[in-house]
């Protein structure tokens, strides 16, 4: 039914023709195989001047940027040198068409990579854009295991905007407590919340106040450590730079600003945007944007890059970097006061930006005009047996010991039932008809803190979805769909549902596999805020034995 609906839509036909033309162009140039050899291990570093254990790749955090062209095959040879800890890496925004076992989601698509083992991820980057990778085991992402993926358009294809050069910035928040301490608190009775982060990082660098009375010695925190020197972005006066801006925060929603400069938004999650200009931009965990910045200000000085917390009452200082006008020295601090960003609790401002993001007029992929199924997911916080949990429709999600993809493909289906006597009975999985069109409405409710509704960025693995609309209050299934944008909605893989509001998505269940759909806040997903979606698993090819070895999958490995 989904295909017939698509072909009745003239815009869909035009978009399909453009897609075919692009694929023909891609096939004319032989795709490359790009091989990366990574070692993941713990090491002491000081990203914000405070010395702690971080997880790096080849000694660095953020890790190496994967640079490729549409159609290339990526092979990552990953050695787990954490010694006492498993690992898995998710390729955020890569749809894994034909390779669902490489999605890197422990408990969903693979068994974790054991200490000392080497695992090969292999997948095709099938479309251009700005993407991410990060740990997807426990809460390791916030220990520093993350990086960027940059995919160029094929030779001969022109993007709908121009720029002189291209840079990547990942925004993050940073905790001094280990992920073990945080996870233990979240799993305890009484509940111990992780609290607000100690610092905000701009591409892996921040500045903590080492004179704080909680700091023991200069060995623990040292502001002269070069590892925490401000991130510097150098520009040439008069030139335009493309900044691929993303967020991989563990908790915080962030607002990014470059002092005195406008940002022109041109890409979101790998899709071209109808350009719009902002003074600053809200970036939620898991989102990627491209913004164009022209170096058109007084070239005799440098300017602040600033990252500020929004949607939560800030208890973390502004994250700072430097926009360095060449040939000024990069270490010259700007003479001005850093930007403080918009009001943290201005929900109308945040909603207005979400509503601005629309597909570029020449790159519209129109959604099906009808849907086969509507799923409403209510986001709430609950207590189960005295433990604090996040829940979706009163079901709190737990990852199984036997990954879903293997359990379903190998018919170990008794392993996917998650009994929970304190919540609505559920298999904890949505099984969708292959090629069906599905609407998901994310409805935000209260947390267990009185008069508090938190912003949740939701990320769908294996797919992009159309963002049909955002709204305030309770979703009205009769009236609100009449307001959906079916003309030029943006496609994304991560989207916020705002406080006391709703967000409506539409996607086609056309990628055989088993896919996670979850809140991208580390603590929230750890506490159960997610679901799993299966579609066409019978069409998945033979599973590699390298993803097996845990739970009941041990019986599937033959000598």
């Amino acid at each position: 039914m989904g295909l017939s609906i698509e072909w009745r839509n003239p815009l869909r036909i035009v978009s399909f023709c453009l897609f075919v033309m692009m694929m023909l162009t891609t096939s004319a140039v032989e795709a490359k195989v790009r091989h990366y050899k990574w070692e993941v291990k713990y090491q002491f570093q000081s990203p914000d001047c405070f010395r702690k254990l971080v997880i790096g790749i080849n000694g660095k955090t953020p890790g190496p940027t994967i640079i490729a062209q549409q159609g290339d095959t990526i092979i990552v040879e990953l050695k787990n040198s954490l010694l006492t800890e498993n690992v898995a890496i998710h390729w955020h925004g890569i749809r894994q068409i034909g390779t669902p076992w490489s999605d890197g989601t422990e408990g969903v698509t693979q068994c974790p990579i054991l200490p000392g083992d080497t695992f090969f991820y292999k997948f095709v980057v099938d479309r251009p854009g700005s993407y991410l990778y990060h740990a997807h085991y426990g809460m390791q992402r916030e220990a520093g295991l993350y990086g960027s993926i940059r995919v160029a358009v094929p030779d001969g294809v022109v993007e709908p905007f121009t720029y002189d050069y291209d840079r990547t910035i990942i925004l993050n928040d940073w905790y001094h407590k280990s992920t073990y301490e945080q996870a233990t608190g979240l799993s305890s009775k009484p509940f111990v919340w992780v609290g607000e982060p100690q610092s905000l990082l701009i591409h892996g660098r921040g500045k903590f106040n080492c004179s704080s009375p909680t700091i023991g010695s200069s060995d623990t925190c040292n502001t002269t450590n070069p590892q925490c020197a401000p991130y510097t972005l150098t520009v040439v006066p008069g030139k335009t730079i493309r900044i691929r801006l993303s967020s991989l925060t563990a908790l915080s929603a962030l607002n990014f600003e470059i002092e005195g400069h406008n940002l022109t938004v041109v890409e979101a999650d790998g899709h071209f945007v109808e350009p719009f200009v902002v003074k600053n931009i809200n970036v939620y965990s898991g989102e990627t944007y491209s913004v164009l910045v022209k170096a058109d200000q007084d070239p005799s000085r440098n300017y602040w890059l600033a990252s500020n917390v929004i949607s939560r009452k800030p208890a973390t200082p502004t994250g700072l970097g430097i926009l360095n006008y060449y040939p000024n020295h990069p270490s010259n601090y700007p003479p001005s006061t850093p930007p403080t960003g918009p009001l943290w609790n201005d929900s109308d401002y945040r909603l207005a930006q979400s509503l601005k993001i629309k597909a570029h007029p020449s790159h519209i992929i129109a959604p099906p005009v009808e849907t086969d199924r509507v799923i409403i997911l209510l986001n709430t916080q609950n207590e189960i047996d005295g433990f604090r949990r996040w829940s979706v429709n009163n079901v709190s999600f737990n990852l199984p010991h036997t990954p879903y993809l293997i359990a379903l493909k190998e018919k170990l289906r008794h392993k996917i039932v998650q009994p929970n006597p304190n919540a609505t009975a559920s298999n904890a999985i949505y099984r969708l008809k292959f090629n069906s069109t599905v609407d998901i409405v994310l409805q935000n409710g209260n947390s267990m803190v009185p008069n508090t509704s938190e912003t949740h960025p939701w990320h769908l693995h294996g797919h992009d979805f159309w963002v049909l609309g955002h709204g305030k209050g309770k979703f009205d299934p009769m009236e609100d769909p009449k307001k959906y944008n079916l003309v030029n909605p943006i496609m994304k893989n991560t989207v916020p549902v705002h406080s006391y509001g709703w967000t409506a998505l539409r996607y086609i269940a056309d990628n055989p596999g088993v896919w996670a759909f979850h809140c991208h806040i580390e603590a929230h997903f750890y506490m159960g805020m997610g679901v799993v979606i299966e579609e066409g698993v019978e069409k998945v090819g033979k599973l590699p034995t390298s993803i097996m070895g845990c739970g009941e999958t041990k019986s599937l490995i033959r000598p």
Side-chain angles (χ1 to χ4, degrees):
M1 182 174 179
L3 286 174
S4 63
I5 290 171
E6 291 173 54
W7 284 115
R8 288 200 299 267
N9 189 320
L11 289 173
R12 187 71 174 174
I13 296 172
V14 172
S15 299
F16 179 77
C17 292
L18 289 171
F19 174 76
V20 170
M21 290 173 65
M22 182 174 286
M23 293 308 293
L24 288 172
T25 304
T26 304
S27 62
V29 179
E30 185 177 352
K32 295 181 179 178
V33 176
R34 300 179 186 267
H35 193 284
Y36 293 84
K37 191 172 184 177
W38 290 355
E39 183 181 18
V40 174
K41 65 179 181 179
Y42 272 111
Q43 57 209 73
F44 285 106
Q45 288 194 14
S46 305
D48 70 342
C49 305
F50 181 91
R51 185 172 181 263
K52 66 166 284 187
L53 275 177
V54 306
I55 303 178
I57 297 175
N58 298 346
K60 295 182 178 180
T61 175
T65 297
I66 291 176
I67 299 177
Q69 190 172 34
Q70 179 180 337
D72 287 352
T73 295
I74 306 298
I75 299 175
V76 177
E77 180 183 346
L78 188 148
K79 182 181 180 182
N80 178 8
S81 293
L82 296 181
L83 301 179
T84 60
E85 194 172 342
N86 300 332
V87 75
I89 292 185
H90 168 54
W91 315 97
H92 184 113
I94 306 300
R95 293 179 293 182
Q96 301 292 348
I97 296 171
T99 53
W101 47 79
S102 283
D103 188 53
T105 316
E106 182 270 333
V108 178
T109 62
Q110 71 169 94
C111 291
I113 306 165
L114 301 177
D117 281 1
T118 296
F119 185 90
F120 287 81
Y121 287 104
K122 183 178 180 180
F123 54 88
V124 174
V125 287
D126 66 298
R127 63 205 163 88
S130 309
Y131 309 104
L132 298 162
Y133 65 83
H134 58 79
H136 220 293
Y137 179 84
M139 296 171 67
Q140 288 177 342
R141 186 182 87 217
E142 65 175 88
L145 183 45
Y146 62 86
S148 294
I149 304 172
R150 212 161 78 194
V151 184
V153 296
D155 293 340
V157 174
V158 178
E159 293 171 305
F161 48 85
T162 59
Y163 52 93
D164 296 298
Y165 48 103
D166 193 334
R167 294 292 183 270
T168 296
I169 295 178
I170 303 176
L171 305 177
N172 219 329
D173 49 13
W174 195 247
Y175 287 86
H176 292 170
K177 284 186 176 180
S178 71
T179 58
Y180 295 114
E181 292 175 276
Q182 294 185 52
T184 300
L186 296 174
S187 305
S188 295
K189 249 190 322 190
F191 174 73
V192 181
W193 176 234
V194 298
E196 301 300 315
Q198 279 66 61
S199 301
L200 299 179
L201 306 184
I202 296 181
H203 212 66
R205 293 170 179 259
K207 186 77 73 174
F208 183 70
N209 179 12
C210 289
S211 63
S212 169
T214 61
I215 301 302
S217 69
S218 60
D219 292 336
T220 304
C221 195
N222 181 2
T223 56
T224 64
N225 191 321
Q227 291 181 356
C228 60
Y231 171 77
T232 300
L233 178 65
T234 300
V235 294
V236 176
K239 299 294 186 181
T240 297
I241 185 170
R242 175 185 186 171
I243 301 176
R244 298 177 189 256
L245 183 69
S246 60
S247 170
L248 279 174
T249 52
L251 173 67
S252 311
L254 297 178
N255 179 272
F256 178 79
E257 183 171 347
I258 300 180
E259 177 196 5
H261 293 71
N262 288 329
L263 313 176
T264 302
V265 183
V266 295
E267 180 215 349
D269 289 3
H271 292 273
F272 298 133
V273 169
E274 181 177 353
F276 64 96
V277 179
V278 291
K279 178 184 176 184
N280 49 56
I281 184 170
N282 304 319
V283 190
Y284 302 91
S285 182
E287 287 191 313
T288 64
Y289 291 97
S290 283
V291 296
L292 303 183
V293 180
K294 187 169 184 180
D296 57 2
Q297 298 301 301
D298 178 1
S300 68
R301 52 161 292 195
N302 292 337
Y303 297 83
W304 291 111
L305 309 176
S307 171
N308 285 286
V309 172
I310 52 171
S311 190
R312 301 178 67 87
K313 189 173 183 179
T316 310
T318 299
L320 295 175
I322 295 175
L323 183 73
N324 166 230
Y325 266 70
Y326 180 83
N328 300 325
H329 198 281
S331 65
N332 289 346
Y333 277 32
S336 48
T337 302
T340 56
L343 291 174
W344 70 270
N345 57 354
D346 188 348
S347 57
D348 288 342
Y349 170 82
R350 299 195 304 275
L351 178 61
Q353 181 191 284
S354 292
L355 292 171
K356 274 185 182 179
I357 306 171
K358 297 178 174 63
H360 191 281
S362 62
H363 292 268
I364 294 171
I365 303 175
V369 295
E370 300 173 19
T371 189
D372 300 310
R373 182 174 180 179
V374 178
I375 301 171
I376 298 178
L377 301 179
L378 174 63
N379 301 182
T380 58
Q381 199 176 62
N382 309 76
E383 280 197 351
I384 299 177
D385 295 332
F387 292 94
R388 185 74 58 92
R389 300 286 292 176
W390 280 100
S391 299
V392 179
N393 295 348
N394 291 320
V395 176
S396 190
F397 176 71
N398 287 310
L399 284 167
H401 294 295
T402 303
Y404 286 101
L405 177 63
I406 307 171
L408 289 164
K409 180 66 177 175
E410 302 296 338
K411 300 187 170 39
L412 305 173
R413 295 184 181 176
H414 61 286
K415 299 306 296 181
I416 64 172
V417 177
Q418 300 293 311
N420 188 343
N422 296 297
T424 305
S426 171
N427 281 347
I429 189 168
Y430 285 89
R431 307 203 68 184
L432 304 180
K433 183 180 178 182
F434 188 67
N435 260 338
S436 61
T437 299
V438 181
D439 282 9
I440 297 179
V441 179
L442 297 164
Q443 175 68 65
N444 216 340
N446 282 305
S447 72
M448 294 187 72
V449 178
N451 303 312
T452 300
S453 178
E454 298 189 20
T455 300
H456 300 287
W458 276 79
H459 171 56
L460 178 60
H461 293 223
H463 294 275
D464 292 333
F465 48 71
W466 290 275
V467 183
L468 301 184
H470 299 266
K472 295 181 179 181
K474 185 177 180 181
F475 177 77
D476 185 331
M478 299 301 294
E479 295 301 319
D480 285 326
K482 297 176 184 177
K483 307 169 192 172
Y484 283 173
N485 177 11
L486 299 177
V487 177
N488 60 349
I490 190 63
M491 296 192 80
K492 296 184 95 265
N493 61 63
T494 306
V495 71
V497 53
H498 296 287
S499 55
Y500 293 115
W502 56 266
T503 298
L505 322 172
R506 179 168 294 174
Y507 86 100
I508 301 172
D510 59 357
N511 191 5
V514 184
W515 309 106
F517 182 44
H518 62 93
C519 178
H520 214 258
I521 293 173
E522 283 276 60
H524 291 185
F525 183 45
Y526 181 84
M527 294 166 65
M529 198 171 196
V531 299
V532 168
I533 296 170
E534 179 271 324
E535 59 202 48
V537 75
E538 70 282 355
K539 301 178 186 297
V540 173
K542 181 177 175 57
L543 301 180
T545 57
S546 60
I547 67 171
M548 302 178 189
C550 58
E552 289 203 1
T553 71
K554 295 174 184 176
S555 64
L556 301 174
I557 300 178
R558 301 285 186 266

